[in-house]
Amino acid sequence: MDKKIGEILLEMGVMTAADVGAVLEVQRSGGGSVKFGEIAAGRGVPEDKVLEALSRQFGLPVVQVQDFPDAVPLDKISFSFLENNLLLPLRLTDNHLAIAIGDPTNTDGIESLQSSFGFELELFLAKKTDILEHLHIIRGSRSAVMQRLIEDTEEDALPETDTTGEISHLRDLAQEKGIIQLVNLIIENAVKDRASDIHVEPGEHNVRVRYRVDGVLYEKEVLPARTYSALSSRIKLLSQMNIAERRLPQDGRINAAFGSRAVDIRVSTLPTIYGESIVMRLLDKETSFVTLEEIGFDRVILDIYEGMIRKPYGMILITGPTGSGKSTTLYASLDKINSPEKKIITVEEPVEYLMTGINQIQVRPKIGLTFASGLRHIVRQDPDVIMVGEIRDMETATISIHAALTGHLLFSTLHTNDAAGAITRLMDMGIENYLVSSTLICVIAQRLVRRICQHCREPQPVSPDMMQRFGQTVRETWTGRGCEHCSGTGYRGRIGIFEVLPVGDEIRDMIMKQATVREIKDKAIGLGMRTLSQDGIQKVINGITTLDEVLRVTQVEL
């Protein structure tokens, strides 16, 4: 690589000395962040000529689009990695990988690929536009693969009327190659799309497959009704459920691996008019839990909460609806206080994350290991900190209260709409108000809102009416335009909004007087508590989420 690309293009007669000087000037004015070849192509130099010059400069052969493969020969590598690094695997023979590259100066992608797989690489140059277009074609072909598998499944589908030996036939269908590939593809697509749940819902004329991504359901596939019997049988067989039972709800579990990722799938079936509705919840075993800061705790809330979780005893409750991130907050809290000097025991259903240095118990109701029974035995293990996945009944609540009274710091969750509601909920369950007052030290209510995609984020002016509602001078907020990174939604990932209610002397007095939820909440706000909507608006102002998201999860009028 003795000559620079500008010199080579000059020798090729494609550019003049003045042209080269002009490109260099543009490159210098941009701080050198833009490649010479990109600027030259933008000024009219054919991409073919730029590619030829790069070939001479780096001594790499050029591969044409007609020689690209129909499919990427690596199933363990993501399309986003290939697109971001302008790489296209061409063929894999034994340990030898031929790969087309669009930017020979980007060595990070090549080195990452080599270190991950240990391949001997043979590099070729190709047009950046050709690589990106071909990757999009291959990625888009997943719908074509899905259609082919559906057609194969339909050919072997059950007739509409029951026949003798139907259960036997269902078991055979569930093990057909076509249906195996169809179910695998549905799950694999969900993992690639970062879905938390897969919903398979039978209707009169079709079967709807939806994925929940960042808390919102998106319809991904509509399958013919005749495929449902084989599809549901395959899922139930994988989940170790009873294929013959269609009248009662069932629960099961699938341990699956996609590429290098291990995924734990919790499966639930529910009988409906047209068949069993199936929901598969995906838990990525390799996803590390996040910190309180990453969840969405800002400095103000964190200072308050850290003071609570470092107390030697008492009860801390996390509240919110299903899917609001309560378990994630519990794990982050335990991680914050986890140390060799403390013995921490948890009882959970299910154990979602494995934490080093913490004793975790999996609830097993079928053999009598419930939250209440597990908790009753935990207190005999001399723990410093106890985490109960959920307080569901009076028995669990009573044992939790007594654990907090006897010198333990106890974390748990409740299903209530706000922080103040958790106080009255405990008393509604039958816990005496003096016990709640004596043990409860903090309540957090939370929701999850979608983050604005950082790849397509753009400013959005605030109307005078909305500015007045914000209660402060806000000139602009942010929104997501929609791009390939966020599948056109404008959002990618989620973050929490919180309402932290420390239970101090004034709140304890109100509990003893059996004050209403409204009275407790008003008092807490008067003492400085930031409500869910107020925390959400702060995250809107900071450009993290949108006002629509805050309104969606808090259901309040600002």
Side-chain angles (χ1 to χ4, degrees):
M1 198 176 70
D2 297 331
K3 291 186 178 181
K4 296 183 178 179
I5 185 172
E7 297 173 358
I8 297 172
L9 289 168
L10 189 63
E11 289 178 359
M12 292 169 59
V14 177
M15 299 181 73
T16 64
D19 293 333
V20 173
V23 170
L24 289 173
E25 181 60 33
V26 172
Q27 192 177 33
R28 277 193 294 271
S29 65
S33 59
V34 184
K35 303 283 194 302
F36 185 99
E38 292 177 1
I39 300 172
R43 296 172 68 91
V45 177
E47 192 176 357
D48 287 333
K49 297 300 183 181
V50 174
L51 194 68
E52 184 181 340
L54 286 171
S55 176
R56 293 187 188 184
Q57 184 184 21
F58 288 91
L60 296 174
V62 175
V63 62
Q64 301 299 330
V65 67
Q66 58 265 26
D67 297 319
F68 287 175
D70 294 331
V72 173
L74 291 176
D75 59 358
K76 296 182 179 180
I77 194 166
S78 69
F79 279 98
S80 58
F81 172 84
L82 296 174
E83 290 169 354
N84 293 337
N85 290 281
L86 293 170
L87 301 175
L88 176 66
L90 301 173
R91 56 185 174 273
L92 178 62
T93 307
D94 296 328
N95 200 44
H96 186 88
L97 177 66
I99 189 166
I101 60 175
D103 181 7
T105 65
N106 177 19
T107 57
D108 291 343
I110 298 169
E111 289 173 358
S112 176
L113 191 64
Q114 194 166 26
S115 61
S116 297
F117 297 97
F119 293 136
E120 295 179 15
L121 300 181
E122 181 182 3
L123 303 181
F124 293 85
L125 273 177
K127 290 183 186 178
K128 295 179 181 179
T129 53
D130 286 346
I131 289 176
L132 289 174
E133 286 177 8
H134 198 70
L135 286 172
H136 290 164
I137 290 171
I138 294 174
R139 173 182 270 183
S141 67
R142 87 181 195 182
S143 59
V145 173
M146 180 73 74
Q147 184 58 39
R148 176 178 57 79
L149 292 175
I150 291 170
E151 292 171 357
D152 291 344
T153 305
E154 276 195 281
E155 291 177 4
D156 296 324
L158 276 174
E160 294 183 4
T161 57
D162 291 346
T163 59
T164 304
E166 179 185 351
I167 301 305
S168 176
H169 185 40
L170 278 173
R171 191 175 295 277
D172 291 340
L173 278 180
Q175 300 182 63
E176 289 287 339
K177 181 180 179 181
I179 193 61
I180 291 173
Q181 292 177 332
L182 178 60
V183 172
N184 287 350
L185 188 59
I186 289 172
I187 299 174
E188 184 178 354
N189 288 345
V191 172
K192 289 178 179 177
D193 290 347
R194 302 179 297 107
S196 60
D197 302 87
I198 305 170
H199 293 247
V200 180
E201 302 164 333
E204 184 178 3
H205 303 294
N206 53 44
V207 180
R208 183 168 61 165
V209 178
R210 297 192 289 173
Y211 298 164
R212 189 179 294 280
V213 181
D214 293 334
V216 178
L217 279 171
Y218 296 93
E219 188 171 287
K220 291 295 182 178
E221 314 290 346
V222 178
L223 313 178
R226 287 175 60 83
T227 64
Y228 174 73
S229 295
L231 181 66
S232 61
S233 296
R234 177 63 188 170
I235 294 172
K236 291 168 74 173
L237 189 66
L238 288 173
S239 311
Q240 298 182 341
M241 295 182 187
N242 183 358
I243 293 180
E245 181 56 73
R246 305 173 192 171
R247 301 164 300 171
L248 296 173
Q250 295 189 70
D251 294 305
R253 182 174 177 176
I254 304 172
N255 285 313
F258 293 91
S260 59
R261 297 176 62 181
V263 181
D264 185 13
I265 304 172
R266 305 301 169 98
V267 185
S268 170
T269 67
L270 186 69
T272 66
I273 295 174
Y274 298 109
E276 292 169 287
S277 171
I278 301 173
V279 176
M280 295 181 276
R281 170 154 290 187
L282 281 60
L283 301 173
D284 192 338
K285 292 181 177 179
E286 298 179 8
T287 300
S288 59
F289 55 87
V290 293
T291 64
L292 290 171
E293 293 87 347
E294 291 168 333
I295 291 171
F297 280 64
D298 63 16
R299 194 69 256 168
V300 174
I301 294 177
L302 194 60
D303 287 343
I304 297 170
Y305 187 57
E306 281 193 334
M308 297 294 113
I309 63 177
R310 297 193 185 281
K311 288 183 179 294
Y313 56 85
M315 177 187 286
I316 296 174
L317 293 178
I318 315 293
T319 75
T322 301
S324 59
K326 299 187 296 296
S327 296
T328 304
T329 302
L330 285 177
Y331 283 115
S333 302
L334 294 181
D335 181 60
K336 198 81 172 177
I337 60 175
N338 189 13
S339 67
E341 296 80 27
K342 290 183 179 178
K343 177 159 186 173
I344 304 175
I345 306 180
T346 73
V347 54
E348 311 169 52
E349 184 186 16
V351 174
E352 295 184 21
Y353 303 100
L354 300 178
M355 301 183 69
T356 304
I358 293 179
N359 302 278
Q360 296 174 267
I361 301 171
Q362 171 77 50
V363 168
R364 301 182 188 278
K366 290 183 179 179
I367 60 172
L369 180 54
T370 62
F371 282 120
S373 63
L375 183 54
R376 189 178 289 109
H377 290 281
I378 283 175
V379 295
R380 301 172 188 164
Q381 288 279 309
D382 187 31
D384 298 293
V385 181
I386 301 170
M387 190 267 270
V388 181
E390 183 182 346
I391 294 178
R392 295 179 178 176
D393 49 45
M394 184 178 175
E395 184 182 10
T396 308
T398 301
I399 302 171
S400 299
I401 288 285
H402 284 287
L405 277 173
T406 53
H408 304 93
L409 182 62
L410 188 136
F411 294 84
S412 193
T413 68
L414 270 180
H415 287 92
T416 61
N417 292 326
D418 57 15
I423 297 172
T424 56
R425 173 72 178 129
L426 285 174
M427 291 188 283
D428 290 341
M429 293 174 73
I431 305 299
E432 296 291 344
N433 58 336
Y434 68 88
L435 290 175
V436 176
S437 174
S438 302
T439 56
L440 195 61
I441 60 174
C442 183
V443 185
I444 294 182
Q446 69 178 70
R447 302 288 189 278
L448 291 178
V449 293
R450 291 182 290 175
R451 287 178 178 267
I452 299 171
C453 176
Q454 297 302 301
H455 296 279
C456 61
R457 196 178 79 144
E458 59 186 18
Q460 176 177 265
V462 179
S463 66
D465 176 59
M466 196 57 67
M467 194 182 301
Q468 185 177 2
R469 291 187 178 188
F470 276 137
Q472 51 190 296
T473 305
V474 181
R475 298 297 176 188
E476 65 179 18
T477 57
W478 296 83
T479 187
R481 184 178 62 255
C483 65
E484 62 179 11
H485 296 281
C486 59
S487 303
T489 64
Y491 299 98
R492 183 177 174 88
R494 289 190 288 176
I495 193 169
I497 59 174
F498 303 93
E499 183 175 280
V500 180
L501 171 57
V503 181
D505 290 339
E506 294 180 72
I507 300 297
R508 294 186 196 283
D509 289 341
M510 297 189 75
I511 295 173
M512 290 300 294
K513 295 175 183 176
Q514 298 186 338
T516 65
V517 173
R518 182 72 262 173
E519 290 170 338
I520 294 174
K521 184 167 186 176
D522 288 344
K523 184 64 176 180
I525 293 172
L527 292 171
M529 183 184 77
R530 186 196 295 174
T531 65
L532 281 168
S533 57
Q534 289 170 341
D535 190 45
I537 290 172
Q538 189 59 52
K539 287 180 170 64
V540 172
I541 294 169
N542 294 340
I544 298 172
T545 189
T546 64
L547 186 60
D548 288 341
E549 275 296 288
V550 176
L551 293 174
R552 179 178 67 85
V553 301
T554 60
Q555 298 180 347
V556 296
E557 291 293 333
L558 300 178

